[in-house]
Amino acid sequence: MSMQRTLVLCKPDTVQRGLVGRVVSRFEEKGLKLVGMKMLRVDESLAGRHYAEHVEKPFYADLLAFITASPIVALAVEGDNAVEVVRNLMGVTNPQKAGSGTIRGDFGLNLTMNLVHGSDSLASAQREVALFFAPEELHDYEIALRKWT
Ligand code: IDP
Ligand code: MG
């Protein structure tokens, strides 16, 4: 067992399209535990820190405009191998190529507006969870049915 915490963002398109509930359900139904959840408007500063690795990319300006355009819902989720499990539930970056049954594959058509963010490694997950959540916003609790998932 490798218990991990990772960051999920329901990006502005998910909120605008009224898909937050269905997207969050994918993670809950899989058996991941929500340990943090909040709505926020990402400002330029937070967007810049979150997407620092992409600063030189040609799509960076569009990405920053998109992520700051409207509120998002941030989740911290916990589970065995959660980083990889979340990435698999999301599907690949381009929704046109993402498999059916994945969030991006089922709900998306646009490369920038691809519904969700998920940390891409354990190191990213630790950095990104801390970027979006203060320690007191993360909750330790037991799921009574955990042994069945
Ligand atoms: P990921 O979200 O699957 O980890 P990254 O390569 O980290 O993908 O890119 C971050 C985000 O930037 C993507 O989720 C998407 O919103 C946007 N993006 C990535 N590549 C492109 C591109 O080629 N054109 C436009 N937007 C892109
Ligand atoms: Mg990424």
Side-chain angles (χ1 to χ4, degrees), residues 1-2 20 24 29 33 35 57-58 60 65 80 90 101-103 110-112 118 135 141 143-144 147:
M1 287 269 281
S2 169
V20 172
V24 174
E29 287 166 349
K33 178 162 76 171
V35 295
K57 305 272 174 64
Y60 182 73
D80 188 20
M90 286 167 40
T102 68
I103 294 164
N110 183 285
L111 179 52
T112 303
Y141 63 100
I143 299 273
K147 67 175 180 174

Side-chain angles (χ1 to χ4, degrees), residues 11 50-51 53-54 57-60 62-64 66-67 87 90-95 104 110-120 128:
K11 294 180 176 179
H50 177 61
Y51 281 129
E53 64 173 312
H54 295 308
K57 305 272 174 64
F59 58 82
Y60 182 73
D62 286 346
L63 178 59
L64 248 66
F66 164 56
I67 205 73
R87 295 283 292 190
M90 286 167 40
V92 298
T93 305
N94 186 342
R104 287 164 167 170
N110 183 285
L111 179 52
T112 303
M113 297 191 286
N114 60 1
L115 295 129
V116 278
H117 168 85
S119 308
D120 64 7
E128 292 174 358

Side-chain angles (χ1 to χ4, degrees), residues 40-62:
L40 71 153
R41 183 75 177 256
V42 177
D43 62 16
E44 290 276 332
S45 161
L46 179 58
R49 281 176 284 151
H50 177 61
Y51 281 129
E53 64 173 312
H54 295 308
V55 70
E56 305 293 345
K57 305 272 174 64
F59 58 82
Y60 182 73
D62 286 346

